[in-house]
CSV table of all heavy atoms in Angstrom, one decimal:
chain,number,residue,atom,x,y,z
A,1,TRP,N,-3.7,-11.5,1.9
A,1,TRP,CA,-4.4,-10.7,0.8
A,1,TRP,C,-3.4,-9.8,0.1
A,1,TRP,O,-3.4,-9.7,-1.2
A,1,TRP,CB,-5.6,-10.0,1.3
A,1,TRP,CG,-6.4,-9.3,0.3
A,1,TRP,CD1,-7.5,-9.7,-0.3
A,1,TRP,CD2,-6.1,-8.0,-0.3
A,1,TRP,NE1,-8.0,-8.8,-1.2
A,1,TRP,CE2,-7.1,-7.8,-1.3
A,1,TRP,CE3,-5.1,-7.0,-0.2
A,1,TRP,CZ2,-7.2,-6.6,-2.0
A,1,TRP,CZ3,-5.1,-5.9,-0.9
A,1,TRP,CH2,-6.2,-5.7,-1.9
A,2,VAL,N,-2.6,-9.1,0.9
A,2,VAL,CA,-1.6,-8.2,0.3
A,2,VAL,C,-0.7,-8.9,-0.6
A,2,VAL,O,-0.4,-8.5,-1.8
A,2,VAL,CB,-0.9,-7.4,1.4
A,2,VAL,CG1,0.4,-6.7,0.8
A,2,VAL,CG2,-1.8,-6.5,2.1
A,3,LYS,N,-0.2,-10.0,-0.2
A,3,LYS,CA,0.8,-10.8,-1.0
A,3,LYS,C,0.1,-11.2,-2.4
A,3,LYS,O,0.8,-11.2,-3.4
A,3,LYS,CB,1.3,-12.0,-0.3
A,3,LYS,CG,2.3,-12.9,-1.1
A,3,LYS,CD,2.8,-14.0,-0.3
A,3,LYS,CE,3.8,-14.9,-1.0
A,3,LYS,NZ,5.0,-14.1,-1.4
A,4,GLU,N,-1.1,-11.6,-2.3
A,4,GLU,CA,-1.8,-12.1,-3.5
A,4,GLU,C,-2.3,-11.0,-4.4
A,4,GLU,O,-2.4,-11.2,-5.6
A,4,GLU,CB,-3.0,-12.9,-3.1
A,4,GLU,CG,-2.7,-14.2,-2.4
A,4,GLU,CD,-3.9,-14.9,-1.8
A,4,GLU,OE1,-5.0,-14.3,-1.8
A,4,GLU,OE2,-3.7,-16.1,-1.4
A,5,ASN,N,-2.5,-9.8,-3.9
A,5,ASN,CA,-3.2,-8.8,-4.7
A,5,ASN,C,-2.5,-7.4,-4.9
A,5,ASN,O,-2.9,-6.7,-5.8
A,5,ASN,CB,-4.6,-8.5,-4.1
A,5,ASN,CG,-5.5,-9.7,-4.2
A,5,ASN,OD1,-6.1,-10.0,-5.2
A,5,ASN,ND2,-5.6,-10.4,-3.0
A,6,ILE,N,-1.5,-7.1,-4.1
A,6,ILE,CA,-1.0,-5.8,-4.1
A,6,ILE,C,-0.3,-5.4,-5.3
A,6,ILE,O,-0.2,-4.2,-5.7
A,6,ILE,CB,0.0,-5.6,-2.8
A,6,ILE,CG1,0.0,-4.1,-2.4
A,6,ILE,CG2,1.4,-6.1,-3.1
A,6,ILE,CD1,-1.3,-3.6,-2.0
A,7,ALA,N,0.2,-6.4,-6.1
A,7,ALA,CA,0.9,-6.0,-7.4
A,7,ALA,C,-0.1,-5.3,-8.3
A,7,ALA,O,0.3,-4.5,-9.1
A,7,ALA,CB,1.4,-7.3,-8.0
A,8,ASN,N,-1.4,-5.6,-8.2
A,8,ASN,CA,-2.4,-4.9,-9.1
A,8,ASN,C,-2.6,-3.5,-8.7
A,8,ASN,O,-3.3,-2.8,-9.4
A,8,ASN,CB,-3.7,-5.7,-9.1
A,8,ASN,CG,-3.6,-7.1,-9.7
A,8,ASN,OD1,-2.7,-7.3,-10.5
A,8,ASN,ND2,-4.5,-8.0,-9.4
A,9,PHE,N,-2.1,-3.1,-7.5
A,9,PHE,CA,-2.3,-1.8,-7.0
A,9,PHE,C,-1.0,-1.0,-7.1
A,9,PHE,O,-0.8,0.1,-6.5
A,9,PHE,CB,-2.8,-1.8,-5.6
A,9,PHE,CG,-4.2,-2.3,-5.4
A,9,PHE,CD1,-4.4,-3.7,-5.3
A,9,PHE,CD2,-5.3,-1.5,-5.4
A,9,PHE,CE1,-5.7,-4.3,-5.2
A,9,PHE,CE2,-6.6,-2.0,-5.3
A,9,PHE,CZ,-6.8,-3.4,-5.2
A,10,GLY,N,0.0,-1.6,-7.8
A,10,GLY,CA,1.3,-0.9,-7.9
A,10,GLY,C,2.3,-1.2,-6.8
A,10,GLY,O,3.3,-0.5,-6.7
A,11,GLY,N,2.0,-2.3,-6.0
A,11,GLY,CA,2.9,-2.6,-4.9
A,11,GLY,C,3.8,-3.9,-5.3
A,11,GLY,O,3.4,-4.7,-6.1
A,12,ASP,N,4.9,-4.0,-4.6
A,12,ASP,CA,5.8,-5.1,-4.8
A,12,ASP,C,5.6,-6.1,-3.6
A,12,ASP,O,5.9,-5.9,-2.5
A,12,ASP,CB,7.2,-4.6,-4.7
A,12,ASP,CG,8.2,-5.7,-4.9
A,12,ASP,OD1,7.8,-6.9,-5.1
A,12,ASP,OD2,9.5,-5.4,-4.9
A,13,PRO,N,5.0,-7.3,-3.9
A,13,PRO,CA,4.7,-8.3,-2.9
A,13,PRO,C,5.9,-8.9,-2.2
A,13,PRO,O,5.8,-9.5,-1.2
A,13,PRO,CB,3.8,-9.3,-3.6
A,13,PRO,CG,4.2,-9.2,-5.0
A,13,PRO,CD,4.5,-7.7,-5.2
A,14,SER,N,7.1,-8.6,-2.8
A,14,SER,CA,8.3,-9.1,-2.3
A,14,SER,C,9.0,-8.1,-1.4
A,14,SER,O,10.2,-8.3,-1.0
A,14,SER,CB,9.3,-9.6,-3.4
A,14,SER,OG,9.7,-8.5,-4.2
A,15,ASN,N,8.4,-7.0,-1.2
A,15,ASN,CA,9.0,-5.9,-0.4
A,15,ASN,C,7.9,-5.3,0.5
A,15,ASN,O,7.4,-4.1,0.2
A,15,ASN,CB,9.6,-4.8,-1.3
A,15,ASN,CG,10.4,-3.8,-0.5
A,15,ASN,OD1,10.5,-3.9,0.7
A,15,ASN,ND2,10.9,-2.8,-1.3
A,16,VAL,N,7.4,-6.0,1.5
A,16,VAL,CA,6.4,-5.6,2.4
A,16,VAL,C,6.9,-5.3,3.8
A,16,VAL,O,7.6,-6.2,4.4
A,16,VAL,CB,5.2,-6.7,2.4
A,16,VAL,CG1,4.2,-6.2,3.4
A,16,VAL,CG2,4.6,-6.9,1.0
A,17,THR,N,6.6,-4.2,4.3
A,17,THR,CA,7.0,-3.8,5.7
A,17,THR,C,5.7,-3.7,6.5
A,17,THR,O,4.7,-3.1,6.1
A,17,THR,CB,7.7,-2.5,5.7
A,17,THR,OG1,8.9,-2.6,5.0
A,17,THR,CG2,8.0,-2.1,7.2
A,18,ILE,N,5.7,-4.4,7.7
A,18,ILE,CA,4.6,-4.2,8.6
A,18,ILE,C,5.0,-3.2,9.7
A,18,ILE,O,6.2,-3.1,10.1
A,18,ILE,CB,4.2,-5.5,9.3
A,18,ILE,CG1,5.3,-6.2,10.0
A,18,ILE,CG2,3.6,-6.5,8.2
A,18,ILE,CD1,5.0,-7.4,10.9
A,19,ALA,N,4.1,-2.3,10.1
A,19,ALA,CA,4.4,-1.3,11.1
A,19,ALA,C,3.2,-1.1,11.9
A,19,ALA,O,2.0,-1.2,11.5
A,19,ALA,CB,4.8,0.0,10.4
A,20,GLY,N,3.4,-0.7,13.2
A,20,GLY,CA,2.3,-0.4,14.1
A,20,GLY,C,2.7,0.3,15.3
A,20,GLY,O,3.9,0.2,15.7
A,21,GLU,N,1.8,0.9,16.0
A,21,GLU,CA,2.1,1.6,17.3
A,21,GLU,C,1.2,1.0,18.4
A,21,GLU,O,0.0,0.6,18.1
A,21,GLU,CB,2.0,3.1,17.2
A,21,GLU,CG,0.6,3.6,16.7
A,21,GLU,CD,-0.4,3.8,17.7
A,21,GLU,OE1,0.0,3.9,18.9
A,21,GLU,OE2,-1.6,3.8,17.4
A,22,SER,N,1.7,1.0,19.6
A,22,SER,CA,1.0,0.5,20.8
A,22,SER,C,0.5,-0.9,20.5
A,22,SER,O,1.4,-1.8,20.3
A,22,SER,CB,-0.2,1.5,21.1
A,22,SER,OG,-0.8,1.2,22.3
A,23,ALA,N,-0.8,-1.2,20.6
A,23,ALA,CA,-1.2,-2.6,20.3
A,23,ALA,C,-0.7,-3.0,18.9
A,23,ALA,O,-0.5,-4.2,18.7
A,23,ALA,CB,-2.7,-2.7,20.4
A,24,GLY,N,-0.6,-2.1,18.0
A,24,GLY,CA,-0.1,-2.4,16.7
A,24,GLY,C,1.4,-2.8,16.7
A,24,GLY,O,1.8,-3.7,16.0
A,25,GLY,N,2.1,-2.1,17.6
A,25,GLY,CA,3.5,-2.5,17.8
A,25,GLY,C,3.6,-3.9,18.4
A,25,GLY,O,4.5,-4.7,18.1
A,26,MET,N,2.7,-4.2,19.4
A,26,MET,CA,2.7,-5.5,20.0
A,26,MET,C,2.4,-6.6,18.9
A,26,MET,O,2.9,-7.7,18.9
A,26,MET,CB,1.7,-5.6,21.1
A,26,MET,CG,2.1,-4.7,22.3
A,26,MET,SD,0.9,-4.8,23.6
A,26,MET,CE,1.5,-3.6,24.8
A,27,SER,N,1.4,-6.2,18.0
A,27,SER,CA,1.1,-7.1,16.9
A,27,SER,C,2.3,-7.4,16.0
A,27,SER,O,2.5,-8.5,15.6
A,27,SER,CB,-0.1,-6.5,16.1
A,27,SER,OG,-1.2,-6.3,16.9
A,28,VAL,N,3.1,-6.4,15.8
A,28,VAL,CA,4.3,-6.6,15.0
A,28,VAL,C,5.2,-7.6,15.6
A,28,VAL,O,5.7,-8.5,15.0
A,28,VAL,CB,5.0,-5.2,14.7
A,28,VAL,CG1,6.4,-5.5,14.2
A,28,VAL,CG2,4.2,-4.3,13.8
A,29,GLY,N,5.4,-7.5,17.0
A,29,GLY,CA,6.2,-8.4,17.7
A,29,GLY,C,5.6,-9.8,17.6
A,29,GLY,O,6.4,-10.8,17.4
A,30,THR,N,4.3,-10.0,17.7
A,30,THR,CA,3.7,-11.3,17.6
A,30,THR,C,3.9,-11.9,16.2
A,30,THR,O,4.2,-13.0,16.0
A,30,THR,CB,2.2,-11.2,17.9
A,30,THR,OG1,2.0,-10.6,19.2
A,30,THR,CG2,1.5,-12.5,17.9
């Protein structure tokens, strides 16, 4: 969804960073 829509919110779909902590950090690894 972010890739398809974030440009309309002022974001660059070619420059996306995922981040998370604890289970979110494990999700990043996955």
Side-chain angles (χ1 to χ4, degrees):
W1 184 96
V2 168
K3 182 178 180 63
E4 294 174 347
N5 295 281
I6 206 63
N8 294 339
F9 295 85
D12 181 358
S14 66
N15 188 4
V16 176
T17 299
I18 58 172
E21 55 86 23
S22 192
M26 294 181 185
S27 297
V28 169
T30 303

